[in-house]
């Protein structure tokens, strides 16, 4: 087979594989690691661009010299002479030692400065919100210790806010990642990692992910970051801290069923942790079970058979009749803060 025939096969194959890369984009989901939304992410992105720039520069220089040498010093037909051998040029040696040194300094100074500034412990800083983020198979719990708020799945934060996360996990290792706000960090059972981030200047919803393979439904272990205005955030805090209102008579059967079958794992007052997500304000969440659209059918589908929706989920399927599940859905829909 001549060379062209080989390439005729390889090129279309490469084109097909490059299509697969389009699946890597998070564009359109409100969060993209190379589209920073706040200053921590911007600084990190700046470092990526700087190191990429230096690397590309080095690659270009090396390749230009390399091809120059190949072409310029080719063996020419009819000329078997050996070119002049050069050895030990002080000038060249100094140049190719000093230039990399300068490049490394350009890379090192901002890298070290930014790494240390982003790695400070802000636990005592009153301006920085402290949130404990706890990874569970396959959901995220958020605890605002100072405010005595426990919530899950949707992380609510005000705009322009510096946040320090205390990261931990209850079962296996997970990794906490909000691509639009900065790099990820592991959450390990039994110890706490501190992660410092800040929020965008404008209200928006960002995507958060678990970035460490943690089991069957790892890929579904998403969360949402609802960045809201100051006023909205204050209202959210006040509503979360207020007791959950009594329900109307027509949803009482659902409430009763919930109390009997679900309360052992799910609190509906935000001051308590539980084996499952705290459901205060559940109906306001963006998604059901962290990935399904918030509709009655999806809530029904989830509570009837969680394993079917999210393989390996630790929420058990409770043996109830469809009517009873419908009553519970009606009750769950009342768990709203507005
Ligand atoms: C043994 C503990 C346990 C019991 C009992 C339990 N759940 Fe759950 N529930 C969980 C866990 C754990 C999750 C998170 C699962 C996940 O996302 O992987 C969950 C998730 C949920 C969610 C989704 C929350 C969200 O914000 O996405 C709803 C709704 C829910 N449960 C309702 C119920 C109802 C209704 C019952 C009773 C019929 C019930 N649960 C019984 C543990 C439990
Ligand atoms: Cu995980």
């Amino acid at each position: 087979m001549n060379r062209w025939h080989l390439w005729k096969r390889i090129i279309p194959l490469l084109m097909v594989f490059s299509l697969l890369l389009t699946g890597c984009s998070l564009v359109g989901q409100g969060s993209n690691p190379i589209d920073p939304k706040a200053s921590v992410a911007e600084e990190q992105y700046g470092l990526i661009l700087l190191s990429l720039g230096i690397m590309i520069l080095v690659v270009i220089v090396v390749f230009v010299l390399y091809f120059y040498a190949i072409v310029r010093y080719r063996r020419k037909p009819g000329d078997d002479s050996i070119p002049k051998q050069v050895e030990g040029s002080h000038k060249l040696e100094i140049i190719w030692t000093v230039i990399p040194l300068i490049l490394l300094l350009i890379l090192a100074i901002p890298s070290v400065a930014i790494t240390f500034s982003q790695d400070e412990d802000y636990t005592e800083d009153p301006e920085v919100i402290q949130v404990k983020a706890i990874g569970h198979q396959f959901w995220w719990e958020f605890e605002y210790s100072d405010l005595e708020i426990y919530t899950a799945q949707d992380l609510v934060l005000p705009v322009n806010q510096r946040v320090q996360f205390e990261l931990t996990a209850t079962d296996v290792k997970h990794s906490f990642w909000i691509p639009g706000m900065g790099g990820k960090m592991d959450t390990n059972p039994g110890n706490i990692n501190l992660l410092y981030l800040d929020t965008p200047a404008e209200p928006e919803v960002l995507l958060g992910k678990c970035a460490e393979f943690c089991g069957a439904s790892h890929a579904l272990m998403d969360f949402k970051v609802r960045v809201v205005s100051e006023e909205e955030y204050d209202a959210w805090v006040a509503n979360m801290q207020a007791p959950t209102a009594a329900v109307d008579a027509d949803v009482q059967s659902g409430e009763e069923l919930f109390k009997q079958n679900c309360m052992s794992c799910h609190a509906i007052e935000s001051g308590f942790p539980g084996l499952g997500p705290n459901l205060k304000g559940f109906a306001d969440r963006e998604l059901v079970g962290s990935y399904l659209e918030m509709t009655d059918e999806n809530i029904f589908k989830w509570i009837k058979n969680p394993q079917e929706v999210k393989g390996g989920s630790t929420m058990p399927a409770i043996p109830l009749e469809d009517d009873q599940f419908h009553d519970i859905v009606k009750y769950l829909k009342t768990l709203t803060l507005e």
Side-chain angles (χ1 to χ4, degrees):
M1 203 183 332
N2 74 31
R3 263 192 237 165
W4 172 235
H5 275 291
L6 192 66
W7 280 111
K8 264 205 310 212
R9 291 190 184 178
I10 291 176
I11 291 171
L13 217 72
L14 285 177
M15 282 160 75
V16 169
F17 282 132
S18 69
L19 271 182
L20 293 179
L21 289 176
T22 58
C24 296
S25 170
L26 294 169
V27 182
Q29 295 182 37
S31 217
N32 181 342
I34 53 171
D35 178 15
K37 302 282 187 187
S39 68
V40 169
E42 259 156 30
E43 285 176 3
Q44 295 176 353
Y45 183 54
L47 279 184
I48 294 173
L49 286 188
L50 176 70
S51 47
L52 199 67
I54 291 179
M55 283 188 281
I56 289 173
L57 185 77
V58 170
V59 167
I60 289 176
V61 170
V62 168
F63 269 72
V64 166
L65 290 176
Y66 173 74
F67 283 109
Y68 175 78
I70 288 183
V71 174
R72 175 78 175 71
Y73 298 106
R74 271 161 81 98
R75 184 171 168 192
K76 294 178 187 75
D79 178 7
D80 281 340
S81 65
I82 305 273
K84 188 175 147 231
Q85 300 297 296
V86 192
E87 207 188 316
S89 159
H90 276 298
K91 205 165 110 196
L92 281 175
E93 279 175 11
I94 288 171
I95 289 176
W96 71 55
T97 310
V98 169
I99 290 179
L101 251 170
I102 293 172
L103 292 182
L104 280 182
L105 279 177
I106 296 175
L107 197 57
I109 291 169
S111 297
V112 171
I114 289 175
T115 306
F116 276 83
S117 82
Q118 293 191 351
D119 198 34
E120 267 183 55
D121 183 348
Y122 292 99
T123 314
E124 302 300 325
D125 190 331
E127 306 236 301
V128 178
I129 293 187
Q130 311 288 329
V131 180
K132 198 164 178 177
I134 308 164
H136 302 267
Q137 280 172 320
F138 301 96
W139 57 286
W140 290 97
E141 181 178 6
F142 304 110
E143 184 183 326
Y144 300 62
S145 316
D146 305 337
L147 303 169
E148 287 187 40
I149 291 177
Y150 291 81
T151 185
Q153 314 291 35
D154 279 19
L155 172 64
V156 179
L157 291 170
V159 290
N160 269 327
Q161 175 66 49
R162 297 151 70 214
V163 193
Q164 180 171 269
F165 293 95
E166 285 182 26
L167 303 176
T168 188
T170 51
D171 33 40
V172 299
K173 198 186 272 260
H174 303 270
S175 179
F176 179 85
W177 191 26
I178 307 170
M181 273 164 57
K184 61 197 163 192
M185 194 180 274
D186 277 5
T187 70
N188 305 321
N191 90 308
I192 286 177
N193 280 337
L194 294 180
L195 175 67
Y196 170 73
L197 297 175
D198 61 348
T199 61
E202 296 296 327
E204 65 181 304
V205 179
L206 300 176
L207 174 74
K209 296 198 79 66
C210 174
E212 176 86 41
F213 182 70
C214 60
S217 287
H218 158 70
L220 305 176
M221 194 173 156
D222 290 355
F223 61 99
K224 293 282 180 183
V225 188
R226 261 161 48 202
V227 181
V228 298
S229 67
E230 294 285 341
E231 303 80 60
E232 256 182 276
Y233 177 72
D234 292 341
W236 178 80
V237 169
N239 285 331
M240 284 300 272
Q241 288 171 336
T244 299
V247 295
D248 295 340
D250 62 328
V251 279
Q252 262 165 13
S253 68
E255 184 187 32
E256 213 36 58
L257 285 164
F258 184 84
K259 279 188 177 151
Q260 284 160 15
N261 298 287
C262 323
M263 277 290 231
S264 52
C265 294
H266 292 291
I268 50 155
E269 300 291 352
S270 80
F272 304 97
L275 284 178
N278 189 302
L279 293 181
K280 174 121 188 166
F282 164 74
D284 299 336
R285 287 186 189 151
E286 296 274 323
L287 301 165
V288 185
S290 74
Y291 83 101
L292 294 176
E293 214 184 310
M294 179 60 80
T295 62
D296 291 10
E297 300 82 73
N298 284 338
I299 303 175
F300 176 83
K301 217 165 101 182
W302 171 267
I303 61 177
K304 189 171 153 105
N305 194 348
Q307 320 293 322
E308 200 159 275
V309 181
K310 217 177 193 180
S313 168
T314 51
M315 169 159 159
I318 314 273
L320 295 174
E321 300 299 322
D322 280 8
D323 289 354
Q324 295 175 305
F325 282 125
H326 282 300
D327 284 356
I328 296 178
V329 171
K330 226 163 139 195
Y331 167 69
L332 289 173
K333 296 284 285 187
T334 67
L335 296 174
T336 160
L337 297 180
E338 277 97 48

